[in-house]
Structures are given as C-alpha cells and as structure tokens.
C-alpha cells in the first residue's frame, strides 16, 4: 500500500453541484484509495464505505465557506474519516519542518514521505505531525497491518512463481534431480503455507478494536 500526493493543481474542479455529487471524481483523483491510510476501496467494501472528506472540517465556522471547495475535498475511508472527525489541532505551518501537531495537506505533501514502514508492517511517523496522524487516525489498526503484509506477500509470490516458471522451462526435457524436485516442492509448500496463513488471518480479523474507538 502506497500513498501519493493528490495533484489538485492538475484537476479541473466541477462547475456545478455540491460536494456530495463529486465523490466519483474525488475517487478517481485519489486512485480509489483512502488518502490517509491508503487502503484501496476493493479491500474495504467499495465506494459506499468511502466518504467525501473535508480536509479543513466543514463544522468549524471559519472553514464553512470551503464546504464545496473541491481543493478541500478528498476521498477517504469511513474509518479514517470518522477518526479524524472535526479535529483540527493547528493550521499547517508555512515551514513544514516546524515541529507542530497538524494534518499535512494531501495535495501539498506526499504522505509516503511521512512514514517509515517497519519490518513488522507497523508504520512510524517521521515528524511530530506524522506521529499525530498515525495516532489520531489509528494508522496501525490490525486490518491495515494485514493489508500491508498481504500486499508485500502477493508481490513476492508473483516474483517467486515467475522464477519457478522460468526454472521449470529451463529444465524441461531433462530429467529432474531428486534435489531439484525437493527444492521445488519445498518452495511451493513454503509459498502456499504463507498465503494460507495470511488468508486465515484475514478471515478472522476485525478492522479495529472496539476500545480504539475511544482514542
Ligand atoms: Zn483510511
């Protein structure tokens, strides 16, 4: 799962309607994934589980005029959208290196640069603002960790399968040695067991824990 900067400057805002009407365009602009946690709508119940997110919250009086401002709107999953709610700790500082708690603007910042993904698929914020984002939007919820892991595993399995196909083509016609048969067998079993273990976990995972709603 990868984040990316939303290129608002190259989007033509709609000329009619209001924010509720613009979800399809926001989804397209956001590549059909959540602007904050990067989960794709395929893995999270499709577009009905996604919201039109007001980056500057529409419930805050001084931002009310931005309610139908396309540049303030993003495509976000319902979980991130609910966790963020009306929260707005500070306006973004003019200098992004200032250590301040705020929400980095998705059209100005590539969120990929905000986080480091650890080996156990937990993400760490690289700045005060990024740490706050991880904490407040609970970007290490169980479902996201599993999605990161499964994305990585899928890429790896694709590579391994290609490698095995190449290997089997190379040796076709010649007799397989016992060692090679054993190697191919072990490799296949290893890949399958990883995939099965992941699928079993995905079957039983709850997207987030009940107590985390209180965070
Ligand atoms: Zn999300």
């Amino acid at each position: 799962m990868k984040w990316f900067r939303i290129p608002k400057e190259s989007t033509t805002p709609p000329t009619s309607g209001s924010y509720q009407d613009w979800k399809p365009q926001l989804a397209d602009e956001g590549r059909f994934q959540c602007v904050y946690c990067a989960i794709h709508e395929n893995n999270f119940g499709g577009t009905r589980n996604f919201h039109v997110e007001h980056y500057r919250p529409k419930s805050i009086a001084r931002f009310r005029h931005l309610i139908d401002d396309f540049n303030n709107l993003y495509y976000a999953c319902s979980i991130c959208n609910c966790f963020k709610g009306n929260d707005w700790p500070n306006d973004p500082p003019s200098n992004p290196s200032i250590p301040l708690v705020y929400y980095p603007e998705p059209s100005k910042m590539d969120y990929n640069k905000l986080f480091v993904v650890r080996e156990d698929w937990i993400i760490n914020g690289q700045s005060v603002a990024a740490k706050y984002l991880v904490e407040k939007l609970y970007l290490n919820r169980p479902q996201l960790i599993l999605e990161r892991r499964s994305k990585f595993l899928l890429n790896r399995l694709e590579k391994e399968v290609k490698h095995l196909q190449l290997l089997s083509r190379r040796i076709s016609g010649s007799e397989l040695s016992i060692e090679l048969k054993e190697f191919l067998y072990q490799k296949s079993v290893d890949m399958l067991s990883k995939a099965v273990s992941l699928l079993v976990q995905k079957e039983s995972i709850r997207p987030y824990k009940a107590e985390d709603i209180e965070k």
Side-chain angles (χ1 to χ4, degrees):
M1 284 157 54
K2 287 235 177 257
W3 296 262
F4 61 94
R5 192 183 69 80
I6 308 291
K8 287 284 183 193
E9 71 284 354
S10 56
T11 309
T12 310
T15 50
S16 61
S18 57
Y19 76 88
Q20 295 98 329
D21 308 315
W22 304 335
K23 197 174 176 184
Q25 196 174 339
L26 291 164
D28 189 43
E29 176 191 69
R31 300 186 204 173
F32 306 95
Q33 66 177 48
C34 175
V35 69
Y36 296 122
C37 71
I39 199 166
H40 194 277
E41 60 171 36
N42 282 349
N43 294 320
F44 196 64
T47 194
R48 293 192 78 164
N49 273 352
F50 277 65
H51 294 170
V52 172
E53 146 74 358
H54 287 81
Y55 167 67
R56 290 177 171 83
K58 60 183 185 302
S59 57
I60 295 179
R62 68 187 171 106
F63 295 143
R64 215 157 279 159
H65 66 290
L66 299 175
I67 190 163
D68 290 323
D69 185 335
F70 195 77
N71 288 328
N72 189 44
L73 304 175
Y74 296 93
Y75 195 58
C77 78
S78 49
I79 296 183
C80 288
N81 187 251
C82 291
F83 280 149
K84 181 165 171 282
N86 304 325
D87 190 44
W88 188 258
N90 284 297
D91 288 342
S94 50
N95 179 353
S97 62
I98 293 174
L100 184 71
V101 168
Y102 70 100
Y103 288 104
E105 195 159 357
S107 62
K108 304 225 161 73
M109 171 65 78
D110 179 354
Y111 269 39
N112 251 341
K113 294 180 180 150
L114 292 178
F115 314 115
V116 166
V117 184
R118 297 190 335 204
E119 271 188 15
D120 57 1
W121 312 111
I122 299 270
I123 58 169
N124 282 342
Q126 293 278 74
S127 63
V128 174
K131 282 184 176 53
Y132 181 73
L133 199 65
V134 171
E135 183 69 21
K136 188 71 189 174
L137 269 55
Y138 191 25
L139 296 184
N140 284 317
R141 49 192 188 253
Q143 184 187 28
L144 294 177
I145 292 174
L146 216 50
E147 285 300 334
R148 286 173 203 141
R149 214 179 109 199
S150 65
K151 190 91 183 156
F152 173 83
L153 184 63
L154 192 64
N155 287 341
R156 180 131 173 248
L157 288 181
E158 275 177 349
K159 277 184 199 152
E160 293 277 11
V161 167
K162 275 185 193 147
H163 179 232
L164 286 179
Q165 283 170 336
L166 195 70
L167 200 62
S168 67
R169 267 203 298 276
R170 259 192 218 153
I171 56 176
S172 67
S174 63
E175 202 179 330
L176 290 180
S177 69
I178 298 288
E179 290 79 14
L180 197 50
K181 275 184 189 167
E182 180 69 13
F183 168 77
L184 291 174
Y185 176 75
Q186 280 305 333
K187 198 90 174 156
S188 310
V189 168
D190 184 45
M191 287 193 315
L192 280 174
S193 66
K194 278 182 185 158
V196 167
S197 140
L198 193 79
L199 287 172
V200 167
Q201 282 186 54
K202 280 186 101 169
E203 284 288 299
S204 59
I205 195 91
R206 298 188 74 196
Y208 51 90
K209 297 176 201 138
E211 62 264 31
D212 288 317
I213 298 173
E214 306 304 324
K215 281 184 178 173

